């Protein structure tokens, strides 16, 4: 084990990072990054960005919900994130009578701020390298299930120790570098978060699916929330007596913008990258994962879009579901396109050939680097069929046929003896939340198409599909039977069933039978991949360790895993194709130019915005040219999860909110392309303009610290 620890130490600290690629771990900024950052224009010390035992910039950054980032921008807990990050909460608070998606919402006082049930934010209070505790007693020769069991045991012991040392905090222990290193994160979780304001879709979602992942971009992708706490400033369940969170650290807001070449940095929670992916995994992505995701989601989204266009009620019910599905549907298309266009597989193969040659000359007993790539190749080949079937069933049934969801809730709530339900009141609350955003007629239409797709493309069918063969004249009849006879197609029937639970009725309900059948088949497919997954994990870990030893002078960054990271670089334009150059910012003029009466759902410009543009009434938010900036580019390394992250200048002041990547570099999760890869951010001056001039909610700006040239200014 000592060999591994010393190797990692050498790999992490032997070189200073000197490229814009990298999602860097905060505890290592001083050793790895700060010299390069300061040379590029950062004015902060490493300790001002991250201090283990003192307040620092990282204390203004939060995990927002389950998959985004947010930043505190006032001493009163005011929080900014993307519109698409707040979209689920905004949708949940909307109704036909109060359509916050279409019309927006702005609280005019603290009393009007709307509680968002279930929404939480997490502050990172402490980070610790626990590699020695987790791996110290794990033999380097331990593989497969033996290693998994030992790591699980020692990681649990670390969590228990930290829970004792940090009572009331949430503890997570995460692997890095393929399981060669482990960090623990101590988080403080606030669960009273309230909606303060959101622009209408015509600003916050301007461009819709058409502009998603594209540049030039003109989307005001932001929303405003506030964190509330108990009177002791600690987390507390929602109560009208709670008070705004008192923030010791919050971001100042820069009014002076940026120039091309200026230093910029982002701190946030990138979700997942696969920079150490091999050519074998690329084959799986291009041959199985992405084509199946694109095909299934495309069919479901077509049906949802038709029903949403026909009914305001359905539009509101399915707005968030559609947006979440569509985002990664288009991501999958762009990812496949980018990998092929930029020959990522060829570059990976060249790296693998060089690695294998090095490994065959440098492997020793216990460190068989020459076996790593073969282990990965063989593991994927052995599991491809089961993986393909499992993913298709997940996309087409578990994620798409919604009647299975309430059935799964009830099945999960059945007590151990199968005769009663555990906590029926909690179950009913969960069911009510589901049915609020459920259209049985829409789900029936989706199910018809999903059943057809499963029949056409999956040979590993759930038992119920096989048993139904010959029982119904066609799939339409099977679907009609399901929705006409299941109590889970109706909210009242489902709630009444909870009050008068019958295990026999549950066993005979067609939706419950379908759910159990699908769950059973998914579990079977998962079990068939278990040995291959462990073999892959062993090969992946060995491959990364070998790469570090092969190139000891390179600065290595671990793949994203939704833990706090920092990336830095410059505000820069780019050239997407021969003879084409994209400048590094867009303005309100582009919003006006994009208005399209033929596509009102995506490209409508609100009347008030037109009035302000016609009058050139931009207030103090215009740039030096007198234009109103909307979005801008920087060559920073981000991915999903970074949505809502603050993009900051060299003084750590807020320039904007990151919300997207660009189409030409969609392969960036696998291979960073420095000439092409750009982060798209909404300019904070556009955010302030919309709040102040468009929404007439300028009172919110008065609790922020606005700065120009680093000095506070008053509006």
């Amino acid at each position: 084990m000592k060999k591994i620890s010393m190797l990692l130490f050498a790999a992490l600290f032997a070189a200073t990072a000197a490229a814009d690629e990298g999602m860097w771990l905060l505890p290592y900024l001083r050793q790895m990054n700060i010299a390069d950052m300061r040379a590029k224009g950062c004015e902060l010390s490493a300790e001002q960005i991250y201090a283990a035992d003192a307040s620092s910039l990282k204390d203004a950054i939060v995990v927002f919900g389950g998959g985004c980032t947010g930043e505190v921008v006032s001493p009163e807990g005011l929080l900014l994130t993307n519109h698409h990050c707040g979209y689920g909460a905004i949708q949940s608070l909307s109704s036909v009578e109060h359509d916050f998606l279409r019309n927006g919402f702005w609280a005019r006082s603290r009393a009007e701020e709307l509680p968002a049930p279930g929404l939480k934010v997490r502050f990172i209070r402490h980070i610790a390298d626990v590699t020695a505790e987790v791996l110290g007693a794990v033999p380097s020769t331990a593989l497969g299930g033996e290693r998994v069991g030992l790591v699980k045991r020692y990681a649990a012991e670390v969590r228990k120790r930290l829970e004792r040392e940090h009572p009331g905090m949430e503890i997570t222990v995460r692997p890095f570098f393929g399981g060669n290193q482990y960090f623990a994160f101590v988080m403080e979780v606030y669960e009273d978060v309230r909606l303060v304001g959101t622009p209408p879709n015509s600003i916050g979602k301007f461009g819709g699916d058409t502009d998603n992942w594209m540049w030039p971009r003109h989307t005001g992708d932001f929303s405003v929330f506030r964190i509330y706490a108990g009177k002791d400033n600690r987390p507390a369940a929602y109560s009208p007596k709670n008070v705004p969170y008192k923030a010791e650290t919050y971001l100042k807001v820069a009014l002076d913008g940026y120039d091309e070449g200026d230093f910029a940095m982002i701190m946030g929670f990138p979700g997942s990258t696969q920079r150490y992916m091999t050519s074998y995994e690329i084959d799986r992505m291009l041959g199985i994962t992405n084509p199946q995701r694109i095909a299934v989601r495309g069919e479901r989204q077509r049906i949802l879009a038709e029903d949403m266009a026909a009914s305001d009620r359905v539009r509101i019910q399915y707005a968030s579901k559609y947006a979440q599905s569509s985002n990664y549907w288009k991501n999958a298309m762009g990812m496949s396109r980018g990998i092929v266009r930029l020959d990522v597989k060829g570059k990976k193969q060249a790296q693998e050939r060089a690695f294998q040659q090095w490994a065959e000359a440098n492997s020793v007993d216990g460190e068989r680097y020459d076996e790593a790539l073969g282990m990965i190749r063989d593991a994927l080949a052995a599991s491809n069929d089961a993986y393909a079937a499992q993913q298709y069933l997940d996309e087409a049934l578990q994620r798409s046929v919604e009647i299975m969801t309430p059935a799964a809730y009830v099945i999960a709530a059945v007590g151990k003896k199968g005769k009663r339900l555990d906590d029926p009141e909690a179950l009913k609350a969960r069911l009510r939340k589901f049915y609020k955003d459920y259209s049985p007629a829409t789900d029936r239409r989706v199910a018809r198409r999903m059943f057809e797709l499963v029949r056409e493309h999956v040979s590993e069918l759930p038992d119920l599909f096989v048993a139904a063969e010959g029982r119904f004249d066609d799939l339409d009849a099977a679907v009609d039977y399901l929705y006409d006879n299941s109590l889970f197609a109706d909210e009242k029937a489902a709630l009444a069933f909870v009050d008068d639970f019958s295990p026999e009725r549950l066993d005979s309900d067609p939706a419950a039978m379908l759910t159990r059948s699908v769950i059973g088949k998914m579990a079977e497919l998962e079990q068939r991949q278990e040995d291959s997954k462990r073999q892959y994990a062993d090969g992946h870990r060995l491959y990364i360790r070998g790469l570090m030893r092969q190139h000891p002078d390179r600065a290595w960054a671990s793949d994203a895993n939704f833990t706090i990271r920092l990336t830095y670089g410059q505000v820069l334009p780019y050239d997407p194709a021969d003879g084409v150059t994209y400048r590094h910012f867009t303005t309100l003029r582009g919003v006006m130019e994009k208005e399209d009466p033929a596509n009102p759902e995506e490209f409508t410009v609100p009347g008030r915005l037109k009035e302000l543009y016609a009058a050139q009434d931009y207030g103090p938010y215009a740039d030096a040219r007198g234009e109103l900036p909307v979005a801008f580019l920087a060559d920073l390394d981000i991915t999903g999860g970074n949505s809502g992250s603050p993009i900051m200048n060299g003084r750590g002041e807020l320039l904007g909110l990151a919300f997207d990547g660009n189409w030409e570099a969609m392969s960036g999760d696998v291979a960073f392309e420095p000439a092409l890869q750009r982060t798209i951010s909404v300019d904070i001056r556009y955010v302030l303009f919309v709040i102040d001039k468009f929404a007439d909610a300028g009172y919110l700006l008065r609790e922020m610290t606005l700065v120009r040239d680093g000095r506070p200014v008053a509006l």
Side-chain angles (χ1 to χ4, degrees):
M1 189 60 232
K2 185 177 292 185
K3 285 184 180 179
I4 296 174
S5 299
M6 292 304 295
L7 168 64
L8 281 167
F9 185 86
L12 287 168
F13 302 129
T16 298
D20 299 318
E21 176 180 3
M23 302 172 183
W24 304 104
L25 288 160
L26 300 187
Y28 294 150
L29 293 181
R30 183 172 60 82
Q31 295 95 329
M32 290 186 67
N33 308 101
I34 198 63
D36 186 53
M37 291 171 67
R38 292 184 70 84
K40 289 182 174 178
C42 182
E43 299 178 25
L44 301 177
S45 67
E47 290 72 22
Q48 287 174 303
I49 298 171
Y50 170 75
D53 300 310
S55 183
S56 54
L57 200 61
K58 64 95 176 162
D59 293 301
I61 317 302
V62 301
V63 176
F64 182 88
C68 280
T69 302
E71 50 275 348
V72 181
V73 294
S74 89
E76 296 293 309
L78 199 66
L79 184 79
L80 294 180
T81 190
N82 287 155
H83 180 265
H84 77 261
C85 291
Y87 204 66
I90 298 164
Q91 179 273 328
S92 182
L93 293 167
S94 295
S95 64
V96 174
E97 297 76 21
H98 300 286
D99 192 345
F100 301 144
L101 298 175
R102 178 162 285 174
N103 303 321
F105 165 80
W106 295 95
R108 300 301 168 183
S109 68
R110 300 275 172 88
E112 292 184 8
E113 295 174 358
L114 301 177
L119 181 60
K120 300 177 182 179
V121 300
R122 289 167 168 82
F123 289 90
I124 303 298
R125 297 309 192 195
H126 183 68
I127 304 173
D129 185 339
V130 295
T131 306
E133 288 181 81
V134 175
L135 297 182
V138 178
S140 59
T141 54
L143 299 174
E146 178 189 8
R147 182 185 175 88
V148 170
L150 289 170
V151 168
K152 184 176 180 180
R153 170 185 164 189
Y154 296 131
E157 291 176 0
V158 170
R159 280 193 295 272
K160 289 177 182 177
R161 174 179 66 78
L162 290 172
E163 285 168 356
R164 292 192 299 270
E165 295 174 4
H166 302 276
M169 299 288 186
E170 182 176 286
I171 312 296
T172 183
V173 177
R174 295 286 183 87
F176 292 77
F177 296 106
N180 284 298
Q181 188 175 29
Y182 283 81
F183 276 85
F185 297 84
V186 178
M187 295 177 285
E188 192 167 26
V189 184
Y190 285 79
E191 54 186 290
D192 185 352
V193 182
R194 306 183 194 181
L195 177 64
V196 176
T198 176
N201 276 351
S202 54
I203 291 177
K205 212 173 183 295
F206 184 77
D209 287 340
T210 298
D211 269 9
N212 193 18
W213 304 104
M214 308 303 288
W215 183 263
R217 198 68 175 274
H218 299 86
T219 311
D221 196 348
F222 79 94
S223 53
V224 188
F225 290 80
R226 192 184 303 278
I227 306 166
Y228 279 76
K231 302 226 188 259
D232 59 358
N233 210 38
R234 294 297 307 278
Y238 168 78
S239 167
K241 296 180 180 180
N242 285 348
V243 296
Y245 167 72
K246 302 297 182 185
E248 183 179 354
T249 303
Y250 57 93
L251 298 186
K252 298 175 182 178
V253 178
L255 290 175
D256 36 7
Y258 41 80
D259 292 316
E260 182 178 335
D262 279 358
F263 176 86
M265 63 181 176
I266 282 176
M267 194 184 298
F269 295 85
S272 177
T273 56
Q274 303 87 41
R275 297 280 168 78
Y276 300 95
M277 179 180 281
T278 63
S279 60
Y280 311 113
E281 293 152 87
I282 288 176
D283 284 340
R284 174 179 279 192
M285 176 186 285
L286 296 181
I288 299 175
T289 309
N290 286 356
Q292 292 189 165
R293 178 170 294 143
I294 292 165
V296 175
R297 293 194 182 197
E299 288 296 295
R300 178 173 180 253
Q301 286 160 201
R302 175 182 58 79
I303 296 168
L304 295 186
E306 291 172 356
D307 280 20
M308 291 166 70
S311 164
D312 281 341
R313 178 179 175 82
V314 175
R315 173 179 57 79
I316 293 170
Q317 287 177 320
Y318 282 83
S320 182
K321 299 174 189 176
Y322 183 94
Q324 290 174 9
S325 175
S326 176
N327 191 43
Y328 281 95
W329 167 73
K330 191 168 183 180
N331 176 279
M333 289 190 287
M335 177 75 75
S336 294
R337 172 187 177 274
I339 285 175
V340 172
R341 181 170 175 267
L342 298 171
D343 191 26
V344 174
K345 179 180 175 181
K347 294 172 184 176
K348 293 288 187 180
Q349 287 175 322
Q351 180 186 50
E352 290 159 20
R353 285 192 294 270
F355 174 83
Q356 190 65 26
Q357 185 177 4
W358 170 87
E360 289 173 359
N362 288 275
S363 291
V364 296
D365 289 341
E367 300 285 356
R368 300 297 307 180
Y369 301 120
D370 57 328
E371 297 176 359
L373 288 170
M375 294 168 71
I376 293 171
R377 179 197 62 224
D378 294 347
L380 294 174
S383 60
N384 269 337
D385 289 346
Y387 170 82
Q390 184 183 37
Q391 191 220 1
Y392 210 103
L393 293 177
D394 179 56
E395 288 283 352
L397 296 180
Q398 285 201 318
R399 292 177 181 267
S400 298
V401 179
E402 292 182 279
I403 197 172
M404 293 168 56
T405 301
Y409 289 167
V410 174
I411 290 169
V414 174
K416 291 183 178 180
K417 295 184 178 181
K419 300 297 183 183
R420 62 179 182 82
L421 296 171
D422 294 331
D423 201 348
E425 291 305 313
L427 175 59
K428 287 196 291 185
R430 198 176 187 192
L431 290 170
R432 290 188 187 99
K433 184 177 180 181
F434 167 81
Y435 284 110
K436 173 183 177 293
D437 296 323
Y438 177 63
S439 166
T442 299
D443 192 36
R444 186 187 294 236
R445 291 191 65 210
V446 170
R448 289 188 197 281
R449 184 60 182 137
M450 294 300 108
F451 281 21
E452 289 175 352
L453 291 174
V454 168
R455 278 289 190 190
E456 292 170 9
H457 297 284
V458 181
S459 59
E460 298 275 0
L461 292 171
D463 292 342
L464 194 67
F465 274 69
V466 177
E469 196 75 55
R471 181 179 173 189
F472 298 99
D473 295 335
D474 53 33
L475 282 175
D476 282 353
V479 171
D480 286 338
Y481 178 83
L482 170 64
Y483 286 84
D484 290 343
N485 292 277
S486 174
L487 61 91
F488 295 107
D490 179 75
E491 179 179 8
K492 290 182 179 178
L495 293 173
F497 177 65
V498 173
D499 288 330
D500 187 21
F501 175 69
S502 162
E504 293 77 19
R505 178 70 180 89
L506 180 64
D507 290 344
S508 63
D509 183 273
M513 293 170 66
L514 173 64
T515 302
R516 283 173 166 156
S517 178
V518 172
I519 290 173
K521 176 55 69 173
M522 295 282 283
E524 175 193 327
L525 293 168
E526 177 72 21
Q527 182 60 41
R528 278 164 47 186
Q529 298 173 71
E530 194 65 31
D531 289 343
S532 295
K533 285 184 175 182
R534 289 175 176 172
Q535 180 180 339
Y536 167 81
D538 290 335
H540 180 64
R541 184 178 62 255
L542 190 60
Y543 180 50
I544 294 175
R545 198 159 73 230
L547 284 172
M548 288 176 156
R549 179 161 286 183
Q550 182 188 9
H551 301 287
D553 294 330
R554 176 178 169 181
W556 296 90
S558 181
D559 271 326
N561 58 359
F562 204 49
T563 57
I564 193 164
R565 308 289 182 91
L566 182 137
T567 177
Y568 62 93
Q570 297 172 284
V571 175
L572 287 176
Y574 73 105
D575 300 332
D578 181 45
V580 179
T581 295
Y582 284 150
R583 68 179 184 176
H584 62 281
F585 66 96
T586 60
T587 68
L588 189 59
R589 177 166 62 91
V591 176
M592 303 302 153
E593 292 171 347
K594 278 186 175 178
E595 184 172 30
D596 183 4
N599 187 359
E601 192 64 33
E602 294 184 320
F603 293 103
T604 289
V605 180
R608 174 60 177 157
L609 202 57
K610 292 179 182 179
E611 293 172 5
L612 292 165
Y613 175 73
Q616 301 288 285
D617 184 7
Y618 304 149
Y621 313 115
D623 62 17
R625 297 170 296 273
E627 297 180 290
L628 181 66
V630 172
F632 66 104
L633 298 170
D635 64 343
L636 306 179
D637 191 359
I638 69 166
T639 189
N642 272 122
S643 291
S645 294
I647 181 166
M648 298 169 280
N649 63 19
R651 293 186 292 267
E653 299 160 353
L654 187 62
L655 294 174
L657 281 65
F659 70 90
D660 216 345
N662 60 318
W663 184 248
E664 296 82 6
M666 293 290 287
S667 58
D669 282 357
V670 177
F672 188 84
E673 299 289 343
L676 288 176
Q677 196 141 341
R678 295 293 182 268
T679 291
I680 303 173
S681 302
V682 58
D683 195 301
I684 194 61
R685 291 169 293 183
Y686 189 50
V687 172
L688 299 177
F689 165 81
V690 171
I691 294 173
D692 186 6
K693 294 286 188 175
F694 177 85
D696 193 25
Y699 78 94
L700 292 171
L701 276 55
R702 290 192 286 275
E703 65 176 275
M704 303 180 192
T705 299
L706 308 181
V707 297
R708 200 183 294 275
D709 236 1
R711 292 186 289 273
V713 297
L715 295 180

